[in-house]
Amino acid sequence: MKTGADLISNGELILSGNVIDDSWLGWMWDEDVFFCPSMVRTALASLGEGRLTVRINSVGGHVNAGEQIRAMLAGHAGGCRIIVEGLAASAASLILMAGAERLMSAGSHIMIHDPSGGVWGNEEETRRAADQLAVIASTYAAVYAAASGKTPEEARKIMKAETWFGPDAAISEGFADGIVAEGAPQAETATLEAARAAVMGGNRTLRARIEAGSMQSNERAGRPDHFPAAARGNNQKEAMMANDDPTAAPPANPPVVTDPPATMQAPGNAPAAPPANMQQPSTADVLAGERARTRAIREMAAPFLASGRLMQADVDALIDEGVTADVAGSRFMATMAAAEPAGRTAGQRTSVTRDEGETRLEGMIGAMMGQAEGPAQQFRGMRIRHLAMELAGPSRGFNDTEAIRRGMRSTTMMGGAFGTSDFAYVTTEVMNRTLQAAYQRRAATWQLVTGAPLRATDFRELHSVRFGGDFSLKPVAENGEYQSAVLADEAEGLKVERRGRTIKLTFEAVVNDDMGAFQRIPMEFAMAARSMENSMVWALIRANAALKSDNTALFHASHSNLASGGAAAAISAASVAAARKAMWEQRAFGTKDKDDFMQVEPDRLIVPPALELVALQFATAVTPAVDGNVNPYKSTLAPSVVPNLGAAAGGSDTAWYLISSDLPPIAHAYLEGYNAPTVQTIEGMNPDAVTMNARHIFGAAAVEYKGSYKNNGA
């Protein structure tokens, strides 16, 4: 497989062949001629930060890959001198715009046009695709405009016409700076002399002087203005989509911009030459400095232009005025501040961006979860089989089964991070999100007897602490002395524990497109997680777990919260009244004041399934025939049925409970960061399966007896 080292020759970066996306790299043959962003990035790292010469001969290719390479070269610390050797067409012409100095060989060409792509869908989908292409074209027009000194509208017109430029025409239009002399060092043309004079003389319309100089002194007037259409070779237009056809024939009669006549003269007001003893800036410095200034101003203005708060004419005026980027930025901010409505806080506008790979992954994940909008739109209706084939990239003639196998191994987008394939990442993320959504939808009946969760930072025991004491106010002595309150505390221990199972999504399940199993697995684990919680919490109630603080059962006569033996009774106004009396008379922990009652009032009536009818009848509002039959507690208790408390679960079909939501008997905790069950891919890529661990980390313990009451029933 080719690498970035293949792009380096004699200390120069050589970009030849098709521009491809990184995701295609694994599917190219050794004899293919191409380059991609990851190869360029690796090569740049090897070449260092000094000034770099880049030689390009390319018909173009993937537009997003072309823009990524352009951005890398434009950001190179030492700047780039880019030379077109043959052709810079389509996406390759976009890459050329990154050059601090852009040169062409005598017989080379540049071709600029609109991006294109294929779409499959209904009328609305096709219209949206066309709108997307228009946005992309306008974005690239701004790049061409910034590099050439044109307006975006002028650049857009050139793109729509699919325009070819010879060297002189490219220089005249601002897309190139000069021509490399064959067999000799680069000639210093009048174009560059004019640029130097413009800077030294203070002329601010630099681009006009450069164009004029090129028109005046170019000695290549005898060379044909452009190649005939039949002699231009392969000039195919790259598709925006991944299904480029490198064999596509060129248009029969593409528009051509001819080189200007050599007889044109520079404007009469050209500045005088600088003094002889003044050091002149180098050619590269002149061009690089002006481009950097123009680019910086346009980039600063872009968000204000997009919001309609600044006009393009204002930006052009600043560029023509020759102000520095810093001064232009200050003027932009001053203009915006003056237009800001009163009372608005600076910085309220926020823009969030996402790179192409992340957007593609999010789209696949969303589509697998049944979404059809946003990033998921282009993958709408995707099934597990289609996911594997999509990740496989161009088929190269593989059958579907082989494409699925390759897709399950693909690491193009994730880069094999943590030993995880792209397929494993997407399927695991879908499982995870579906699992957590299903978990949240399922009711948690155990929350009837718990409060807010505790936070466990690890698997060691944590404590639910009760503070109390004698806080009754005492008389103050004549000398102003106050009696001290005595504090007391108790702690109940609680540990979280991890439970889980392993899931395998096999190659056979993917080939069979078993979406049923794929969708069912997270649902079943969501049910299992809630069942685990229910089991842990209700087992504490059902088994009457002991409190660690006093080693006494949660419901016990010494806690004044248990009716057993002769006191046990069925649900009735009288038995509920007795339970409420016991709860009303609970005293605060540590108090010595006989009047220090907590005044706990129950609001929940919890029963096993065998008592559902009795509980509902007790709580249902009816008008009694006799006042003595009135049930005054109907509106104070909300009945709930819990199967985990019945005889079928090892409990009792006669026992019933009163609970105060203000003082629940059970504390629960999740491990910090794991408030729901999760699915995680096991490291290491198995080509025949994706192996995941589904786990849930949860704990519960009995911690408080004063807010609950149990009656064993009859």
Side-chain angles (χ1 to χ4, degrees):
M1 182 183 295
K2 292 184 179 179
T3 66
D6 296 310
L7 303 183
I8 301 174
S9 177
N10 297 324
E12 297 180 336
L13 183 64
I14 311 300
L15 304 180
S16 293
N18 289 290
V19 184
I20 70 168
D21 185 70
D22 284 338
S23 62
W24 303 355
L25 185 57
W27 305 99
M28 305 300 288
W29 302 111
D30 289 339
E31 60 268 24
D32 291 334
V33 182
F34 63 88
F35 56 96
C36 64
S38 61
M39 294 172 64
V40 173
R41 191 181 301 278
T42 302
L44 290 176
S46 300
L47 290 167
E49 297 184 353
R51 186 166 180 80
L52 177 65
T53 295
V54 181
R55 299 182 182 274
I56 189 167
N57 180 28
S58 172
V59 297
H62 196 287
V63 289
N64 294 332
E67 165 57 20
Q68 188 176 359
I69 294 171
R70 184 202 68 80
M72 281 190 261
L73 297 180
H76 184 66
C80 294
R81 174 175 179 257
I82 302 181
I83 302 173
V84 181
E85 295 183 329
L87 178 63
S90 196
S93 68
L94 193 69
I95 295 173
L96 174 63
M97 299 302 106
E101 184 178 7
R102 301 187 296 268
L103 305 173
M104 298 177 66
S105 65
S108 63
H109 284 78
I110 299 172
M111 188 273 281
I112 298 174
H113 68 174
D114 268 353
S116 63
V119 61
W120 176 266
N122 57 32
E123 178 185 4
E124 185 60 29
E125 291 168 331
T126 306
R127 291 185 189 278
R128 282 198 297 267
D131 292 340
Q132 183 183 8
L133 278 175
V135 171
I136 295 172
S138 296
T139 301
Y140 293 146
V143 174
Y144 289 119
S148 64
K150 298 180 179 298
T151 65
E153 291 75 19
E154 292 171 335
R156 190 74 179 85
K157 185 176 180 181
I158 291 172
M159 293 169 65
K160 288 181 177 180
E162 189 173 274
T163 309
W164 287 71
F165 298 94
D168 290 339
I171 294 170
S172 175
E173 293 295 323
F175 296 114
D177 302 314
I179 298 175
V180 177
E182 298 177 358
Q186 176 189 354
E188 192 170 85
T189 64
T191 299
L192 305 177
E193 292 292 348
R196 181 180 294 110
V199 172
M200 297 303 298
N203 193 308
R204 301 303 185 182
T205 54
L206 177 61
R207 179 59 65 186
R209 299 295 177 264
I210 291 177
E211 292 172 355
S214 174
M215 296 173 186
Q216 175 187 21
S217 60
N218 209 315
E219 298 178 356
R220 300 179 294 278
R223 191 177 66 255
D225 289 336
H226 56 84
F227 290 152
R232 273 196 294 276
N234 189 351
N235 67 339
Q236 87 273 10
K237 179 187 299 187
E238 89 280 8
M240 182 183 67
M241 310 298 285
N243 57 347
D244 292 349
D245 179 10
T247 63
N253 295 295
V256 176
V257 175
T258 60
D259 297 335
T263 57
M264 294 180 65
Q265 300 297 318
N269 62 344
N277 62 348
M278 182 178 293
Q279 183 178 0
Q280 298 184 2
S282 69
T283 297
D285 290 342
V286 171
L287 295 172
E290 176 62 13
R291 282 203 198 93
R293 183 186 75 89
T294 302
R295 184 183 300 118
I297 293 174
R298 292 192 186 280
E299 288 176 351
M300 284 189 291
F304 303 121
L305 290 170
S307 65
R309 303 163 76 195
L310 195 68
M311 302 299 293
Q312 183 63 51
D314 300 325
V315 181
D316 294 339
L318 282 176
I319 293 174
D320 291 342
E321 186 180 338
V323 300
T324 65
D326 289 341
V327 172
S330 298
R331 293 192 186 178
F332 289 154
M333 296 308 296
T335 302
M336 294 305 103
E340 197 70 36
R344 183 183 177 89
T345 302
Q348 285 184 331
R349 298 178 66 87
T350 303
S351 176
V352 180
T353 59
R354 174 193 288 150
D355 69 24
E356 181 190 5
E358 291 175 342
T359 301
R360 189 163 176 246
L361 283 172
E362 277 299 314
M364 293 178 181
I365 292 168
M368 292 291 290
M369 295 180 68
Q371 299 172 11
E373 301 297 330
Q377 182 180 345
Q378 62 175 314
F379 303 109
R380 184 170 58 184
M382 174 176 278
R383 297 174 63 86
I384 190 169
R385 177 187 179 95
H386 302 150
L387 170 66
M389 296 178 70
E390 175 71 23
L391 291 171
S395 67
R396 287 280 183 187
F398 299 131
N399 60 39
D400 287 356
T401 303
E402 181 60 22
I404 290 171
R405 187 180 297 278
R406 288 174 176 266
M408 291 178 70
R409 300 177 183 181
S410 169
T411 60
T412 301
M413 289 186 287
M414 292 293 294
F418 310 109
T420 303
S421 69
D422 299 336
F423 182 82
Y425 173 81
V426 172
T427 52
T428 301
E429 192 67 14
V430 172
M431 288 268 195
N432 221 359
R433 297 185 190 183
T434 306
L435 168 60
Q436 295 192 30
Y439 171 79
Q440 297 298 338
R441 287 196 301 269
R442 292 193 65 82
T445 59
W446 53 265
Q447 292 177 355
L448 292 168
V449 291
T450 64
L454 302 177
R455 186 183 66 174
T457 57
D458 52 38
F459 289 93
R460 292 175 294 183
E461 186 173 72
L462 65 153
H463 297 90
S464 175
V465 181
R466 285 192 301 273
F467 287 96
D470 184 6
F471 295 105
S472 60
L473 301 179
K474 305 294 185 181
V476 179
E478 291 184 4
N479 61 2
E481 181 181 357
Y482 287 79
Q483 298 184 44
S484 298
V486 179
L487 300 180
D489 64 82
E490 287 182 335
E492 303 295 342
L494 168 63
K495 285 184 179 180
V496 294
E497 60 179 283
R498 177 177 53 180
R499 299 184 185 180
R501 295 293 294 273
T502 295
I503 315 167
K504 279 193 176 181
L505 185 61
T506 64
F507 173 68
E508 289 79 7
V510 177
V511 171
N512 293 337
D513 204 16
D514 191 355
M515 282 296 289
F518 186 70
Q519 294 168 346
R520 187 172 61 252
I521 288 172
M523 300 295 183
E524 291 181 348
F525 270 107
M527 294 173 60
R530 285 301 191 196
S531 295
M532 164 190 163
E533 297 166 353
N534 276 331
S535 175
M536 293 177 71
V537 172
W538 292 116
L540 296 170
I541 300 292
R542 186 176 62 236
N544 201 6
L547 300 178
K548 291 187 177 182
S549 60
D550 61 6
N551 200 30
T552 302
L554 173 63
F555 301 104
H556 194 270
S558 64
H559 290 161
S560 301
N561 67 347
L562 176 64
S564 60
I571 299 173
S572 67
S575 60
V576 169
R580 286 172 58 88
K581 175 181 180 296
M583 297 179 73
W584 275 107
E585 293 176 350
Q586 290 283 5
R587 288 184 170 86
F589 169 68
T591 186
K592 295 181 181 180
D593 188 343
K594 64 179 182 180
D595 292 322
D596 193 7
F597 298 111
M598 295 181 67
Q599 303 184 41
V600 179
E601 184 174 8
D603 54 358
R604 293 170 179 169
L605 171 61
I606 301 177
V607 300
L611 297 181
E612 179 179 19
L613 177 60
V614 176
L616 292 176
Q617 288 175 337
F618 179 81
T620 300
V622 293
T623 303
V626 180
D627 288 343
N629 294 335
V630 171
N631 177 3
Y633 306 119
K634 290 182 181 295
S635 62
T636 66
L637 295 173
S640 297
V641 179
V642 177
N644 304 73
L645 297 177
S652 168
D653 279 344
T654 60
W656 49 275
Y657 305 81
L658 295 187
I659 303 293
S660 169
S661 59
D662 292 331
L663 204 61
I666 306 297
H668 71 287
Y670 299 98
L671 184 65
E672 188 172 21
Y674 293 87
N675 287 10
T678 58
V679 175
Q680 185 176 31
T681 305
I682 298 177
E683 295 181 10
M685 289 174 287
N686 180 346
D688 291 325
V690 176
T691 305
M692 314 172 210
N693 279 341
R695 65 185 179 189
H696 192 31
I697 305 172
F698 179 81
V703 297
E704 178 60 72
Y705 65 85
K706 299 179 185 295
S708 56
Y709 188 94
K710 177 181 179 180
N711 191 310
N712 283 329

